[in-house]
Amino acid sequence: MLLKILRYTTLFLIMLNVPGWVLAKISPVYSSYLSYLSYGLMIFYFFISKKWSVNKWLLLLGVLYFGISSLSGQLYMPTEIGFIIIIIKYFVVIIGGYAIVQDTSKKDFFFFLLLGASTVFLQIFIFFDPLKDGGRYSGFYLNPNGLGFICMMGYGLTYGLCNKWKTIGQITFTIVGFLTFSRTFILVWLFMNLFSIRLSLKNLRVLAVGIGLFVGLLTFNAFLPKSNPRLMAMSNILEGKSNKTNKLEEGGRTETWALFYPALMDKPLFGNGYDAFGGGGVAGAVGAHNAYLKIIGDAGIFTLLIFLIMFFDLLLKTSRVFLKQPHLALMTFALCLFLLTNHNFFDSGYVLFFTMWLQYQTTIATKERLNSPKMSLIKNKYKPASLKS
């Protein structure tokens, strides 16, 4: 019971971004208490659960990233104490947090994802601030792309649930994801639905219902407290006004990435130093908005190679169990695409939690696949005769 309370409390704080929301909306003092509480709970859970296994991929990645970036340049680094705290937090998450995700079921994650996505309605109907909040909605995640990521993960996870929760989740995550007006979410949602047709042609109905919900949102959006230029642009497309869609083209990621290419080409091997490709780095206030670009820009090509190999390995393994556990492949695909548009990998608790959970669940699924009767027959078929006897 104690472990369950600790696990659920930590998941609530991390998965709903509670310290971040409290920082922005209530008080930095209370936010600090909640933040350190979450890290303390992870450490405590690690010791009392006695799960001593370590996520070797993320351990190696962290050592390379923080080690190389701290040596290759200190111009954009925070204070020494601040940098040490950032490093400690990362390793607490990948060690203590890894113990937690090993005990977290897909139903547990689904509950917290559903709860996190539902915070958008609190923002719209209770906490909306017309002076600070724009026309894109983010719930407790403060950034629409963050909420979009939660909805991507939740939508992918529904393909591993029973029909009742699957339907509830798909409708909720689709509606909330559309409310973020995130181009990344819309693209990932479309791809996931197309991939799901491989599982059953009946999933075409899910795609049709989703498109119907999207059209309905564009048509009946009077309940929203503030309109958004992207909403208007999408409505113009629906009405056939193709010359009034400029807002969909503004702020494209490729334009942002291009700002960092000169610095990248200048120091490709070991990078430009910690947080050089973050906000306030080599390109001014704007960040790279691309985890792959930020890693090579901060810590060089060798760190990026480890990062790419880690996710390639995960994609390959989840693709092999796609027909039996499709949610793992869909969530991994969504995570990889999300990282093309977001650079907060090392300092985002819920992104790290999902990475570790997918790695752990995929390891279990791979073992089950290799130990299945069908695979045993295949392996036995190709054994030398001497070994069969």
Side-chain angles (χ1 to χ4, degrees), residues 222-233:
F223 69 93
L224 296 176
K226 187 174 182 179
S227 185
N228 179 270
R230 289 188 184 179
L231 172 62
M232 300 306 297

Side-chain angles (χ1 to χ4, degrees), residues 163-176:
N163 287 332
K164 175 186 176 182
W165 290 111
K166 180 179 179 180
T167 302
I168 293 172
Q170 287 183 338
I171 292 173
T172 303
F173 293 125
T174 297
I175 292 173
V176 175

Side-chain angles (χ1 to χ4, degrees), residues 211-287:
I211 293 174
L213 289 172
F214 184 59
V215 172
L217 176 62
L218 297 182
T219 307
F220 306 102
N221 52 66
F223 69 93
L224 296 176
K226 187 174 182 179
S227 185
N228 179 270
R230 289 188 184 179
L231 172 62
M232 300 306 297
M234 292 173 185
S235 299
N236 288 333
I237 292 175
L238 189 64
E239 296 171 9
K241 300 176 183 178
S242 57
N243 61 327
K244 297 183 179 181
T245 61
N246 293 337
K247 288 298 179 181
L248 287 178
E249 301 168 8
E250 288 182 3
R253 290 290 184 254
T254 53
E255 297 174 8
T256 302
W257 301 340
L259 299 174
F260 294 87
Y261 293 157
L264 173 62
M265 299 307 294
D266 186 43
K267 296 181 179 180
L269 290 180
F270 300 105
N272 294 263
Y274 177 78
D275 214 24
F277 277 38
V282 296
V286 65

Side-chain angles (χ1 to χ4, degrees), residues 46 49-56 59 94-102 356 360:
F46 173 75
S49 66
K50 297 182 180 179
K51 292 186 179 295
W52 311 122
S53 58
V54 177
N55 189 307
K56 297 180 179 64
L59 181 64
I94 68 165
I95 296 174
Y98 191 51
I100 289 175
V101 299
Q102 290 179 65
M356 294 187 294
Y360 181 71

Side-chain angles (χ1 to χ4, degrees), residues 120 135-138 143-145 147-148 151 175-183 185 228 230:
V120 74
R136 295 177 63 197
Y137 302 95
S138 54
N143 185 313
N145 295 323
L147 178 58
C151 292
I175 292 173
V176 175
F178 286 157
L179 285 172
T180 66
F181 300 106
S182 165
R183 293 167 294 195
F185 171 80
N228 179 270
R230 289 188 184 179

Side-chain angles (χ1 to χ4, degrees), residues 194-229:
L194 292 175
F195 291 151
S196 71
I197 297 173
R198 174 70 177 84
L199 302 171
S200 171
L201 287 174
K202 293 180 181 179
N203 287 324
L204 279 169
R205 293 181 298 183
V206 179
L207 178 61
V209 170
I211 293 174
L213 289 172
F214 184 59
V215 172
L217 176 62
L218 297 182
T219 307
F220 306 102
N221 52 66
F223 69 93
L224 296 176
K226 187 174 182 179
S227 185
N228 179 270

Side-chain angles (χ1 to χ4, degrees), residues 291-310:
Y292 309 97
L293 182 59
K294 188 175 191 299
I295 287 172
I296 189 175
D298 287 359
I301 187 66
F302 303 109
T303 310
L304 177 64
L305 282 175
I306 296 298
F307 192 69
L308 292 175
I309 293 170
M310 178 181 75

